[in-house]
Amino acid sequence: MLSLSKILARLVIRAFALVLAYALAAFRDAGPFALISSLEIIAPYVLLFVVVGAALDLSQKNWRKSWRFTSLSDVIVMARNSTATILALLAAVFVFDRAAELPRSALFLAWVLDVLAFAGVLTLRRAMHEGALTSALVPFVNRRNLPERRVMLLGEMDSADAYLRELARSPDALHRAVGLVTPHSADRNQEVRGISVLGDASRVEEILDGFMTEAGQLSVLFLDGSVAPADLDGDLVARLKARDVRLLKLNRVTELDGELARSSVRELDFNELLARPPVHLDHERVRRLITGKRVLVTGAGGSIGSEICRQVAALSCSHLAMLDNSEFALFKIEQEMIAAYPTLSKAARLCDVRDAARLRTFALQERPDIVFHAAALKHVPLMEAHPADSVLTNVIGSANVADAAVAAGVQNFVFISTDKTVDPPNVMGATKRLAERTVCQRRRPGGPRFNVVRFGNVLGSAGSVVPTFLAQIARGGPVTLTHPDIERFFMTIPEAVQLVLHATAKSAFDQVEGVLVLDMGKPVKIIDLARRLIELDGKVPGIDVEIRVTGLRPGEKMTEALFDVTETARQCDPGVLEVVDRNAGVSLSDAELRRLENLARSGDDEGVRELLFKLLDKLRTYRADNVRAIRDAS
């Protein structure tokens, strides 16, 4: 019924446009008499005009378009259809009677009137839907019912326009926009839907301080990544939190290129407030890498593994296989994938990467195109106390996964590594370094492309420092750290995984193999991180919450690095560095790996530790007579 009413309305507009155009051209009058006379004279032309127009609308299914959500592209399509209809009418009347009764100017006027009249109807319907019509006609209507919570918008003008349009459609909206801060100084003093651009990001502190002194609650909404939480000074964020200013983000369910699928406002978490400014990437290659491919993720229930599952599912992989040794972690990510992607083909397997036979069976069943190996034991002090278990999972387990990938005919194998493999004084870093080499030396002509992606700490991961500090702050302190000068590299989990996928695409399409390192930016002092977390909770470090230094733990380093003594790096893509290792030709023999595995399975922790660091020295000691290393370095 609604579609029929649209078709009829469009017919009436076309008929009226042609009749009015004829009246103006022939009688130079638009009164009732002129209109009636015009209709009597050109009735056949009017009938032909509306029939041709209706046929065009039906063939293009224009009746399916919702007039409530008219966009500029819809208006352009409408103008194009009107032009085609006029041209069809012109051709027809010349064939029938050389347009004897139809002035040429009437055709042009009919086109103008048809376009303007229909565009006006569409605009009016859109304005009614968005509530803009009432506010325009009666500017002060319902002012007393405006939301009390003011919101300052931070982001691009396009993002602000989209948000304000959505806000206008919500009669029970909780926020009232009071200003916009953009990243561009040239935008100042412009307006978006009645909201003024108050300045650029360099003036955000001054602008927010001014609004905090006014009555009423205030929120700050980050619309996109152009003005990020990391752009705000730590003291400013602390003052905002202390005054109950809510820090919000436009939450988006997206493809990796940022196209909006569904949005809502949510509170920013600590990880986003602490994160560095994001690296902006071109994700077209990542989409081509994943879409339609079968993907296997080990450690799928972990912090990195679960985020890989989310992102490859969002990129429309054809099948997702998830493997983990933790029952609860695997159950949790499987249920999340079922809820978020009910139509996605998926499989979940409870399996330990130490079990080579079961791994191989699962890989042959799933036949993945891409394997992301994220399963690992990574807690430094705990692995220092359990070197045998660390070797079995991190070294032997990685070799097992790589062998299963070869047997299954995988195209790309990605090993998730860590910056702790560089000059490692601890068992965890040493096992991951051996695992890197073990995986890379399984390259064969025509076999899978093996890559290692190395990066530092991720904010909010299981067992990381941020959740620990937050729990200590919630208890009232003290916040404990091992040394006042200790520092680490940090990035958020989603950003780390985006860069992992980006590095994998670089490997797949540019024929790059080896160790790739994510650009982690500048290292962060842990004591500064602790202070900012305390300030974000509205407290004063050292007064409300004590910061206590406990001393370095076994195997803990003061600082981390991304490259070892035998390594150099070259930029191969935005956010990704390629490692050039002068010792790339040094390999671990099968006999050495078997001996290490036998010691680990026997539970000989001291024997494992001794052999582990002996093999590590072999990989880190530069040998000038290594032909392949010299060739690679050159």
Side-chain angles (χ1 to χ4, degrees):
M1 188 66 184
L2 184 60
S3 299
L4 180 60
S5 64
K6 290 179 185 177
I7 295 172
L8 292 176
R10 190 69 185 95
L11 294 180
V12 169
I13 291 171
R14 282 199 178 96
F16 176 75
L18 186 56
V19 170
L20 179 58
Y22 184 85
L24 292 172
F27 300 108
R28 302 193 181 281
D29 184 13
F33 176 78
L35 291 175
I36 294 172
S37 299
S38 297
L39 180 60
E40 291 175 348
I41 296 170
I42 62 167
Y45 298 130
V46 172
L47 179 62
L48 181 60
F49 187 45
V50 297
V51 168
V52 170
L56 188 61
D57 286 339
L58 290 172
S59 67
Q60 296 186 356
K61 299 182 179 179
N62 290 333
W63 50 270
R64 298 174 63 177
K65 296 182 183 295
S66 175
W67 291 4
R68 291 181 300 163
F69 304 104
T70 300
S71 64
L72 180 60
S73 62
D74 293 324
V75 174
I76 292 173
V77 169
M78 177 271 297
R80 183 193 66 196
N81 290 348
S82 183
T83 302
T85 306
I86 287 290
L87 292 176
L89 174 64
L90 179 62
V93 295
F94 265 89
V95 169
F96 290 133
D97 61 3
R98 307 291 294 175
E101 300 293 335
L102 195 62
R104 308 297 184 271
S105 59
L107 289 173
F108 176 73
L109 282 174
W111 177 80
V112 172
L113 293 171
D114 184 42
V115 170
L116 291 179
F118 192 40
V121 170
L122 293 178
T123 302
L124 183 65
R125 182 65 185 91
R126 177 68 180 265
M128 291 172 61
H129 174 64
E130 294 185 355
L133 187 63
T134 303
S135 60
L137 295 176
V138 190
F140 302 104
V141 69
N142 292 332
R143 285 290 178 185
R144 290 176 296 178
N145 297 327
L146 287 174
E148 291 296 323
R149 173 70 78 167
R150 300 167 300 148
V151 60
M152 178 66 64
L153 307 179
L154 276 64
E156 296 282 2
M157 293 179 70
D158 287 344
S159 301
D161 177 69
Y163 172 73
L164 292 169
R165 188 167 61 243
E166 192 66 32
L167 197 66
R169 295 173 183 166
S170 306
D172 55 348
L174 300 177
H175 293 93
R176 171 170 55 92
V178 292
L180 171 64
V181 176
T182 77
H184 313 295
S185 59
D187 294 337
R188 188 177 181 184
N189 296 326
Q190 297 189 53
E191 285 191 0
V192 180
R193 294 184 172 264
I195 304 301
S196 299
V197 178
L198 304 177
D200 60 22
S202 65
R203 298 187 60 243
V204 67
E205 182 171 357
E206 172 191 343
I207 293 168
L208 291 177
D209 274 336
F211 273 87
M212 279 193 289
T213 61
E214 298 180 8
Q217 294 178 307
L218 179 67
S219 297
V220 176
L221 175 60
F222 295 89
L223 298 169
D224 49 43
S226 61
V227 182
D231 295 328
L232 302 188
D233 180 76
D235 293 337
L236 172 60
V237 174
R239 292 201 307 275
L240 293 174
K241 298 288 285 186
R243 298 190 188 187
D244 194 32
V245 175
R246 297 178 66 200
L247 302 177
L248 307 173
K249 181 180 181 180
L250 195 63
N251 190 30
R252 293 180 173 182
V253 179
T254 66
E255 296 290 345
L256 283 179
D257 61 358
E259 293 177 359
L260 180 61
R262 184 173 70 251
S263 67
S264 61
V265 172
R266 66 169 175 82
E267 197 98 23
L268 280 169
D269 62 30
F270 281 102
N271 295 329
E272 292 166 310
L273 291 170
L274 296 169
R276 64 193 176 98
V279 178
H280 298 286
L281 303 172
D282 178 8
H283 298 289
E284 184 56 37
R285 287 192 304 177
V286 176
R287 182 180 290 103
R288 287 193 289 126
L289 172 76
I290 299 298
T291 301
K293 299 294 180 62
R294 299 175 66 86
V295 178
L296 167 62
V297 182
T298 72
S303 303
I304 294 295
S306 61
E307 182 63 22
I308 292 175
C309 291
R310 294 182 192 102
Q311 293 198 20
V312 299
L315 287 165
S316 303
C317 64
S318 64
H319 178 77
L320 176 61
M322 298 168 285
L323 184 144
D324 205 291
N325 192 38
S326 167
E327 176 191 15
F328 177 70
L330 184 63
F331 171 78
K332 188 176 179 182
I333 187 61
E334 182 187 25
Q335 292 304 303
E336 181 181 337
M337 291 296 101
I338 289 172
Y341 304 97
T343 62
L344 174 65
S345 172
K346 60 185 77 69
R349 176 65 61 87
L350 192 65
C351 179
D352 195 328
V353 293
R354 302 178 185 183
D355 191 334
R358 292 191 65 213
L359 264 177
R360 182 185 177 92
T361 300
F362 185 58
L364 289 172
Q365 288 174 348
E366 298 302 317
R367 293 287 178 183
D369 300 302
I370 305 171
V371 171
F372 293 97
H373 176 42
L377 297 176
K378 61 182 182 179
H379 193 273
V380 172
L382 195 60
M383 293 306 97
E384 202 64 24
H386 299 86
D389 287 286
S390 187
V391 162
L392 287 174
T393 295
N394 292 352
V395 181
I396 306 305
S398 297
N400 292 340
V401 177
D403 289 337
V406 172
V410 167
Q411 297 172 8
N412 288 278
F413 182 99
V414 184
F415 174 59
I416 306 299
S417 190
T418 170
D419 59 356
K420 292 176 176 58
T421 63
V422 177
D423 189 17
N426 52 62
V427 168
M428 196 282 278
T431 56
K432 294 289 279 188
R433 181 62 175 274
L434 261 63
E436 285 185 356
R437 186 56 54 85
T438 301
V439 165
C440 287
Q441 69 187 40
R442 276 162 168 71
R443 298 191 195 110
R444 298 291 185 273
R449 183 172 289 109
F450 285 97
N451 277 97
V452 172
V453 180
R454 186 190 291 171
F455 55 91
N457 297 35
V458 286
L459 291 166
S461 64
S464 70
V465 67
V466 172
T468 302
F469 282 172
L470 291 176
Q472 292 173 338
I473 294 168
R475 293 195 299 265
V479 171
T480 60
L481 62 146
T482 57
H483 195 283
D485 295 325
I486 197 168
E487 58 185 20
R488 293 290 184 265
F489 293 101
F490 284 100
M491 64 168 48
T492 64
I493 295 173
E495 184 184 12
V497 171
Q498 286 187 24
L499 283 168
V500 166
L501 296 176
H502 185 72
T504 306
K506 175 71 177 177
S507 167
F509 297 120
D510 295 347
Q511 309 296 311
V512 175
E513 284 190 284
V515 179
L516 301 174
V517 177
L518 305 188
D519 184 357
M520 298 292 295
K522 296 180 180 179
V524 176
K525 277 196 170 185
I526 301 300
I527 194 168
D528 292 339
L529 187 64
R531 286 173 178 150
R532 188 166 188 190
L533 282 170
I534 294 170
E535 291 171 344
L536 290 174
D537 201 47
K539 298 180 174 65
V540 180
I543 298 177
D544 298 325
V545 179
E546 178 191 359
I547 298 178
R548 183 180 299 170
V549 177
T550 60
L552 291 173
R553 299 174 296 181
E556 190 171 30
K557 295 168 66 176
M558 288 288 294
T559 60
E560 301 288 1
L562 297 177
F563 311 103
D564 211 335
V565 290
T566 64
E567 297 175 338
T568 58
R570 59 187 176 211
Q571 192 86 35
C572 66
D573 245 14
V576 181
L577 304 169
E578 182 183 359
V579 172
V580 179
D581 189 353
R582 294 180 297 172
N583 273 10
V586 178
S587 61
L588 301 173
S589 68
D590 291 342
E592 288 171 328
L593 287 175
R594 280 197 302 271
R595 185 183 171 201
L596 185 63
E597 180 180 5
N598 291 336
L599 286 171
R601 293 195 183 279
S602 69
D604 184 358
D605 282 336
E606 289 309 311
V608 165
R609 191 188 307 272
E610 181 181 352
L611 181 57
L612 178 65
F613 283 95
K614 181 179 178 181
L615 296 175
L616 179 66
D617 287 339
K618 175 183 177 181
L619 298 181
R620 298 185 66 241
T621 302
Y622 175 62
R623 293 175 52 191
D625 61 338
N626 190 299
V627 177
R628 180 176 174 184
I630 294 173
R631 185 184 67 231
D632 288 349
S634 63

